[in-house]
């Protein structure tokens, strides 16, 4: 989900992007999520919520923090086999206030991972007009159901990671 911010580190955190820059990078994010699981069928749940975290670009000198991400998501879960499909949008904000927008979609299995694509859809400031995308994997590490609600709507909090390998970007 957060891959777009990864390009921030490749360009140079906090520095203006060069005109017509393009490239590829590897990145990961750590995130915390909050939302609700809602029973939407006999063997189906839907999670609606947001993933919030920090994106790191992998450089020759190790991971470099490159932006903050917020991703509202919806995840459909088949309780019979733990399969899932997810869609969402991410906003990645750098220290200078520039933003990157993206769409994400993936399929997989709960606690195993959700593999799919991220598409960069635009940006502001030094990332105005950014495009590109690539493959991503999102994995939830832990989750806790928050007590005190009805069994149809279950608030949940969790943590996890996202990984992008060879994310392509182009800044006009």
């Amino acid at each position: 989900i957060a891959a777009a911010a990864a390009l921030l580190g490749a360009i140079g955190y906090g520095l203006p992007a060069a005109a017509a820059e393009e490239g590829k990078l590897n990145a990961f994010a750590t995130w915390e999520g909050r939302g609700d699981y809602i029973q939407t069928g006999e063997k189906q749940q839907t999670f609606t919520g947001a993933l919030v975290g920090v994106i790191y670009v992998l450089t020759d000198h190790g991971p470099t923090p490159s932006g903050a991400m917020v991703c509202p998501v919806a995840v459909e879960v088949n309780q019979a086999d733990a399969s899932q499909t997810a869609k969402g949008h991410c906003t990645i904000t750098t220290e200078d206030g520039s933003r990157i927008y993206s769409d994400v979609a993936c399929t997989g299995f709960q606690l195993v991972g959700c593999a799919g694509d991220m598409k960069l859809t635009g940006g502001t400031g030094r990332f105005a007009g950014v495009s590109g995308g690539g493959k991503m994997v999102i994995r939830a590490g832990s989750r806790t159901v928050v007590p005190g609600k009805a069994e149809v709507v279950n608030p949940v909090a969790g943590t996890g990671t996202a990984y992008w390998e060879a994310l392509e970007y182009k800044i006009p």
Side-chain angles (χ1 to χ4, degrees), residues 56-96:
Y56 299 84
V57 173
L58 301 176
T59 71
D60 292 340
H61 301 287
T64 301
S66 299
M69 70 168 204
V70 177
C71 305
V73 296
V75 183
E76 299 289 332
V77 178
N78 178 327
Q79 293 174 291
D81 65 5
S83 63
Q84 62 186 2
T85 61
K87 289 186 177 183
H89 308 280
C90 291
T91 300
I92 299 146
T93 305
T94 64
E95 186 176 77
D96 70 358

Side-chain angles (χ1 to χ4, degrees), residues 23-41:
K24 290 183 183 180
L25 55 88
N26 297 325
F28 72 92
T30 57
W31 55 262
E32 293 182 8
R34 290 199 167 281
D36 292 309
Y37 269 107
I38 302 165
Q39 197 69 38
T40 52

Side-chain angles (χ1 to χ4, degrees), residues 5-31:
L7 72 93
L8 310 177
I11 294 168
Y13 188 64
L15 301 176
E21 177 152 359
E22 59 185 276
K24 290 183 183 180
L25 55 88
N26 297 325
F28 72 92
T30 57
W31 55 262

Side-chain angles (χ1 to χ4, degrees), residues 155-169:
V156 65
T159 61
T161 59
Y163 179 70
W164 298 267
E165 186 173 0
L167 176 75
E168 296 180 6
Y169 65 90

